[in-house]
Structures are given as structure tokens and as C-alpha cells.
Amino acid sequence: MSTSHEYPLHLHGWLRIHKDGRCERFIGTDVVPAGTDPSTGVHSKDVVFSYEHSLIVRIYIPNTIVSTRKLPTLIYIHGGGFMTQSAFSSAYHLTLNLITKESNVVVVSVNYRLAPEYLLPIAYEDSWEAIKWVATHVNGNGPESWLNDYADLQNVFFGGDSAGANISHNMAIRVALNPIDDINLKGVIMLHPMFGGNDPVLDEKKDPEYKAFADQVWKMANRSWVGLDDPLHNPDMDPRISRFGCSKILLCVAEKDFFRSRGLYYEKVMAKSGWKGKIQVIESKGEGHAFFLLNASNENSRVLRNKICLFINPIRSKA
């Protein structure tokens, strides 16, 4: 992380902001078209859910799907520190093709507007709009035929990695506070969640330099007066957390991920909150942050996807 006259803020390897305000990103800028994936047979397509803000979801369905048997629906929210990546980047497209096939689910991948051009809470609001749009398909009368025909909206899961896991957590709280009668949220999948706070927790105390980097990412994306203890960022500061909108969470952390401490601390926060649900914690040994996006074929990635499959679809549907 550095600053200069030409680049007021530069997160090396991630992005830099020019003096004219333009944001230049170095990761997650590649775009993979939707279509039929040759290795999995999964079909995907892009659908506009908000013409006002040009917001799009990418929908995935297995190649074995039939309209007579609807499938669990995973609303997935990508990571990237709220500032990089998209629903169309190669890493997410590959991973969600695999999850769709292996878990036998319908996946709705949300593409929200990125900071710093669109500061938080825009990403949260865009994700909420996507969830409400999905809910309009409950009676088979929504605008998108794949969701009308194939999505079981009484069997919905939220999921995401990093910043997307943070958003998924906050969407589950919002569902409880503002119920959407047309969907039944069964669980939330949180992969290496990006949380933080003013005071270091657990092993964060051993790496103040990286905590400073993580703190700066949040401040760049948010810049609100609330700061690092914003309840959106630090669940321990959220008095509404016991109202979490489902009864189970799959919480995944990685041994070499800086955010591991926040993930494990999140388990403690939920345990003391009064929430009556259950958290299943999975730790991937020897792995770093969002490793499953970087190497989908390694053994730990396969194990993690299998845990997701069992969480969503314990008795795997046979189409």
C-alpha cells in the first residue's frame, strides 16, 4: 500500500486510484461468457435484474435438470474486497460450474457495483435487490424462465467468499428483519469471510501490518464515519445478530488465511449472541485465502465443494 502525487492510493497487486479519481484494477478484470461448460455440461446465462442500475445475475443450471423437479437455489455473492472481481470472472465461473454440477443446484451469481466508484452500502443494496428479484419467481410468474421452471424458492441458500461472505451474513440478518415471504432461507455458506474491527482478535495481534492493509481495504470501500466497528464489518457490534434469518451456517476458514482469526471469532460471536442455530466450521489445512478459486482441482478444493454439497443437498437429488 502506497501513495504518491500521481496515485493518491495504490494497493499493490490489487488496484490504484489515479489523481483524476479513475480506478485501475489489476485482478478480476477478465470476463468469461456464459453458455454451456464443456467439462461439466452446466448451462449458464446472464440476466438483467435492474435496468435502472444495469445490474446482472449469472444463472447456472445442471445439464440433468428437468422442470418436474425443482432444485435448491444458491444465491452466490462474489468476493474481492468490495472493489474487484465480478460474477463473470474466470475463477468464479469455473467454481460455480463445479458447484452447480456437484451439488445439483440452481445458482444465481450476483454482480454488484464495486467501490470506490460506488461506495458501500451500494454492494449490500444491490445484493438485496437481487434477492428480492429472485423471490418474484416463487409462483412461476417471474421474468426469468429458468428460475420459474427450475428454482425451489422454499429451499434457498445464501453463499459467498470474502467480501461476498460478509454480504451474505448481512443479507441473512436483513431477511430476518424484513422477511421475504416468497423465499425460505435454509442456510448460509460463508467462505473465508471478510470481517474486521478496531481491536485485533486472536492471531491478528501477530500481524499488525496485514491488519493495517485489511483495515485500509474496508475504509476505501466504505469511508463512513462509523469506521472499522461498523456493524456491517464487525458482527460483534451488531445488536441485531441474534435475528439471523436461518438455522444453520457453514463457516469455512483456511489455515494460512489472515481472515481465519475473524472467521473463528465470528463463531464465538454467534455463540454468545443468543442465536439458536448451528454453525459447522471447516478448516482447510495449509491453504490461503480463497484458494479454491485459484486451484479448483486440488484435493482441498474438492473436499470443500463436497462439504458445500452436503450442506445444501444432504440427499443428492437425482434428476
Side-chain angles (χ1 to χ4, degrees), residues 7 9 14 27 43 55 74 77 79 103 117 125 140 146 153 167 174 177 180 186 190 253 259 266 277 282:
Y7 306 120
L9 194 51
W14 270 44
I27 61 172
H43 307 293
L55 298 176
L74 170 62
I77 304 171
S103 297
E117 295 92 338
E125 299 305 323
W146 280 8
L153 298 188
I167 296 173
R174 190 175 290 201
L177 297 175
I180 302 175
K186 291 292 190 69
M190 302 178 64
V253 298
F259 285 110
Y266 175 83
I282 304 297

Side-chain angles (χ1 to χ4, degrees), residues 66-194:
V66 292
S67 59
T68 56
R69 188 171 189 177
K70 294 190 175 183
L71 298 181
T73 302
L74 170 62
I75 300 176
Y76 192 90
I77 304 171
H78 72 80
F82 303 100
M83 295 186 290
T84 65
Q85 298 289 354
S86 76
F88 321 121
S89 62
S90 58
Y92 286 98
H93 188 65
L94 171 61
T95 298
L96 292 177
N97 273 311
L98 291 168
I99 289 175
T100 301
K101 177 186 178 182
E102 295 167 5
S103 297
N104 201 34
V105 295
V106 173
V107 175
V108 181
S109 180
V110 179
N111 198 58
Y112 53 86
R113 289 172 287 177
L114 298 177
E117 295 92 338
Y118 299 97
L119 293 172
L120 297 179
I122 288 293
Y124 298 101
E125 299 305 323
D126 289 351
S127 299
W128 183 242
E129 288 303 311
I131 292 167
K132 292 193 297 182
W133 177 82
V134 170
T136 64
H137 298 82
V138 66
N139 294 317
N141 297 318
E144 171 45 47
S145 61
W146 280 8
L147 296 183
N148 288 332
D149 294 341
Y150 308 129
D152 179 3
L153 298 188
Q154 295 306 301
N155 200 7
V156 172
F157 295 81
F158 296 164
D161 63 283
S162 194
N166 172 306
I167 296 173
S168 296
H169 160 84
N170 283 288
M171 293 301 99
I173 292 176
R174 190 175 290 201
V175 162
L177 297 175
N178 303 280
I180 302 175
D181 294 334
D182 295 331
I183 65 172
N184 184 8
L185 181 63
K186 291 292 190 69
V188 176
I189 301 163
M190 302 178 64
L191 306 170
H192 308 176
M194 177 186 168

Side-chain angles (χ1 to χ4, degrees), residues 250-262:
L250 178 63
L251 174 63
C252 303
V253 298
E255 182 183 18
K256 296 183 178 180
D257 180 14
F258 173 80
F259 285 110
R260 174 182 178 273
S261 291
R262 284 290 164 179

